Amino acid sequence: MKATSDERDDAALTAAGLAARLAALENRDTLRFAMCGSVDDGKSTLLGRLLAEAGMVPEDRLAQMIRDSKKHGTCGGAPDYALLLDGLEAEREQGITIDVAWRYFGTDKRAFIVADCPGHAQYTRNMASGASSAELGVVLVDARAGVQTQTRRHTAILAMFGLRRVLFAVNKLDLIDYNHARYHAIELECEKLAHDLGISHADAIPVSAIHADNLVAHSPNTPWYAGKSLLEYLETVQVERRTDAAFALPVQWVNRPDHSFRGYAGTIAGGRVAPGNEVLVLPSGQRSRVARVVGGDADLDSAGAGQAVTLTLADQIDVARGDVIADPAHPPEVAAQFACHLLWLDDAALLPGRRYLMKLATREIGAQVTEIKHRIDPDTQAHLAATRLVANEIGYCNLSLDADIAYRPYKQDRRLGGFILVDRETNATVGCGTLDFGLRRDRNVHWQQLDVDRAARAKIKGQTPRCLWFTGLSGAGKSTIANLVERRLLSEGYHTILLDGDNVRHGLNRDLGFTDADRVENIRRVAEVAKLMMDAGLIVLVSFISPFRAERRMARDLIGEGGFMEVFVDAPLAVCEQRDVKGLYAKARAGKIANFTGIGSPYEAPEAPEIHLRSDRESAAESAARVADLLTK
Amino acid sequence: MSVTRLQTHLDRLEAESIRILRETVAECRKPVLLYSIGKDSSVLLHLLLKAFYPAKPPLPMLHVNTTWKFRKMIEFRDRVARDTGVDLIEYINQEGLRQGTDPVGAASKHTHVMKTLALRQALADYGFDAAIGGARRDEDPARAKERVFSLRGAGQRWEPRKQRPEPWSLFNTRLDQDETLRVFPLSDWTELDVWLYIRREGIEVVPLYFADERATFVRNGALLVRDDERVPLEPGEQLVAKRVRFRTLGCWPLTAAVESDAADLDAIIAEMLDTRQSERAGRIIDLDPTDSMERKKREGYF
């Protein structure tokens, strides 16, 4: 879709006219808006008709649309303006009809970037990409139905993503006979909805996409409406672009072509910066002054929010990607624990305690949700109890990071408060959220420095503390082999401890069951205990099915590379089931045990274990000897 | 020293593209810029130079040469590489060349072997994990849902269901073995934005975009400009001098010219602003795989 103006019919633009238009186009600004509505509200028809009425659709494409409408339009042969937008066949084939579609159009005053959000009830997650970058939300309302569940849900998501202004386009006005009283009632309903959700600016326009009422020109059908047409509104609406924020720049790239230049490249999240300004680097807290502000290929007097620049500093200090350079008078906050809103995107549920990667601005860091405070009902905003979040659910959670980061609450700054979570195994983007505030909890539990440390305790035992993590199916022989290894180590004078899955579940973990969430917590506790035992100088043998890669990685991260040895006790399911020492497979097959690994719940085999034992091909004694030999050498 | 002002649409597009380019270089192991010599590539290269100034961009550019490009394109390419100092890798599918290429008699096979397969081979041979391209979402309704960082599975296939959401333009660049990324920094640009930016920044483009008197002939209804002797004229065909220009550039026997008087940027933009005909109308698209057909292919692929 192309830009145009009222002058489009002047085939031969005068030289002066062209120069003026080019100047206008070059200096126009942008409005990014998210457009939402239920499936039947006529969203595509409205957008298509708006473009056509504004003269942005070439005549040959209009003619094509009118021909296509007769063949497969949905308006009984009359022009179906929705056809101007859709590449429907292609989308169906690709199976991605539920994604946000990006549309582009413009006038001489403004360029518009439209996130056309899918209307299906269950696809909340697909609104995320569109709403997160939008400056305005446009919500379609069917005049016959007024505010519906979907309207509430879409508006609530816009509110969660921090939109402060929403336009309600009350469509199909022709079907209520342009009744002013009815429209006014809907308008009040919309205003109340926005107010309840904390959206400070709500507007409404009565339209009919089919009849082009109030799209570009004022409609004679609504003499009682004195406001702007939809296009006028979009061209002139003032959206909040914070100009008062304090300077902050997340460092994206350290630019070091040679020893004479060391620059920190990034996009300014807020505020302005100029040479000579004092700056603070977070989270380290070092200070310096800005020497140069380089933009493109020239030095700038100053630069502001949204600009991609490169700063050089007066002092040689250590600054890396992920750090934030900021105004020391009003710096971003620093924390490692947060209260946040989280929208879950993945088909696999969010499990508290599982480790994910978080990306916020340019920082990437290990993260886990430590607690789901509650889930939010998308229709009523009620708080519901939850132990996990599935796709499309929004939760209010506590988030814990591996280290401090610089951030601003999302309400103040989207760029320093919005984050995504990535699954470390599948690499999928599984969640997105907004930081509400930092929790000071960790500041009250100080780390006690102890004079006697792990090395000292290990020294008097004459050994190197390690954690041997035996993983494998039930019946693969983990405990048998671990037991033999411990006997051999003990006989050679090593100090050891064996943590067995079944035994630990009788004590420390007796409050845990076998849901995915409990399995994660089970492993977290055992990994923490193993670490304490290693601090005591011991060689720790852990014998747990530990079916999930993510949890074994959590254990590895917690215990530390080098000390952690993954021992994969590998036997085919059929062999284990045949052995069935404890009779558990039989019960699982009979449906008496839910979530039994290998039957009702998956086992994810290690990809690169330190030791790989094939317990179906060698005896337990042979396996144990191989492990012990490795340790005692 | 220039004075800063409030950000215009072009300013915002520029800043976002630079951010995407920097993100690619910061996060990917071995990125490459796909350079096709066209106007979008010229804009991409300009943005790349800005993104890493004063350093030389820390990545090479790759041109997949089908051996049928206009000579003016190759001249332009070599000069640009020399002037900017960016390393240029030219890749030609030698096996395809040995088997013989025929863009006239077997256009789609030629395009597949010399462009699609060649690109795939080039990326695999050099081990690039991220290829930056100039594709825009406004090129086709089918591209409207493409991501900025588009994930490609084994064999560089596009898998719609594995595409990642990009809230706040936070890009997840993690890759499994065999996976690669295609990165589209111009996703939010329209064709008009591209030309307005070229005009504002004074970016040089291949002169074939501007109207000039050229020796043309008509084949299968397409107006072609004969660039070399490899395609003999058939009976009834003759070279006629016409004022023409190109809206897209590709293999010369597959790229139709349009009659036009637009000899400078202002005139080209004025032509675009006249919306009585879309850019596709009046063009022999089906005979021009460098345009619609090829573009469609690239959507799955590029």
Side-chain angles (χ1 to χ4, degrees), chain A residues 340-362:
Chain A
C340 69
H341 280 84
L342 186 61
L343 166 60
W344 201 247
L345 305 169
D346 201 42
D347 290 330
L350 160 77
L351 301 176
R354 177 168 277 194
R355 294 174 52 79
Y356 300 95
L357 275 176
M358 174 174 124
K359 192 168 180 186
L360 176 135
T362 58

Side-chain angles (χ1 to χ4, degrees), chain A residues 150-171:
Chain A
Q150 278 285 67
T151 319
R152 285 181 201 285
R153 180 175 286 210
H154 288 147
T155 312
I157 294 165
L158 293 175
M160 174 191 160
F161 280 99
L163 278 124
R164 309 251 168 97
R165 187 178 278 275
V166 170
L167 170 70
F168 294 93
V170 182
N171 192 23

Side-chain angles (χ1 to χ4, degrees), chain A residues 14 29 45 178 236 273 306 310 340 398 402 586 603 628:
Chain A
T14 61
D29 75 344
T45 306
Y178 302 98
T236 55
V273 65
T310 303
C340 69
N398 283 355
D402 287 354
Y603 178 79

Side-chain angles (χ1 to χ4, degrees), chain A residues 8 28 30 58 60 99 102 104 132 135 241 252 255 272 301-302 306 321 357 359 410 427 429 433, chain B residues 1 4 9 12 15 19 23 27 52-53 55 137 144 147 164 168 171-172 174 188 275-276 278 281:
Chain A
R8 61 182 282 271
R28 64 183 175 167
T30 319
D60 56 304
D99 278 6
W102 297 91
Y104 305 88
S132 65
E135 296 158 315
R241 298 215 179 101
Q252 196 181 10
N255 194 358
R272 292 199 74 79
D301 294 334
S302 73
R321 173 174 161 86
L357 275 176
K359 192 168 180 186
Y410 184 78
N427 291 332
T429 300
Chain B
M1 295 236 173
T4 54
H9 181 57
R12 288 176 84 180
R19 194 178 74 83
E23 200 66 6
E27 296 231 316
F52 296 98
Y53 176 86
R137 289 201 190 107
R147 304 297 197 271
R164 299 159 174 171
W168 301 291
F171 306 115
N172 167 4
R174 287 170 66 87
D188 280 342
T275 58
R276 280 168 304 172
S278 72

Side-chain angles (χ1 to χ4, degrees), chain A residues 470-479 502 514 519 543-547 568-586 588 593 595-599 601 603 615:
Chain A
F470 291 81
T471 173
L473 291 167
S474 176
K478 294 180 299 298
S479 296
D502 285 350
F514 290 88
R519 283 174 190 268
S543 170
F544 271 63
I545 297 174
S546 43
F568 180 24
V569 184
D570 186 6
L573 179 64
V575 173
C576 297
E577 195 167 352
Q578 201 189 347
R579 289 178 188 161
D580 205 6
V581 192
K582 301 170 194 165
L584 296 173
Y585 283 97
I593 307 176
N595 298 330
F596 191 75
T597 300
I599 311 283
S601 182
Y603 178 79
S615 72

Side-chain angles (χ1 to χ4, degrees), chain B residues 13 55 91 108 142 157 176 225 276 281 302:
Chain B
L13 289 175
Y91 191 92
S108 54
R157 268 193 312 276
D176 221 333
V225 171
R276 280 168 304 172
F302 182 21

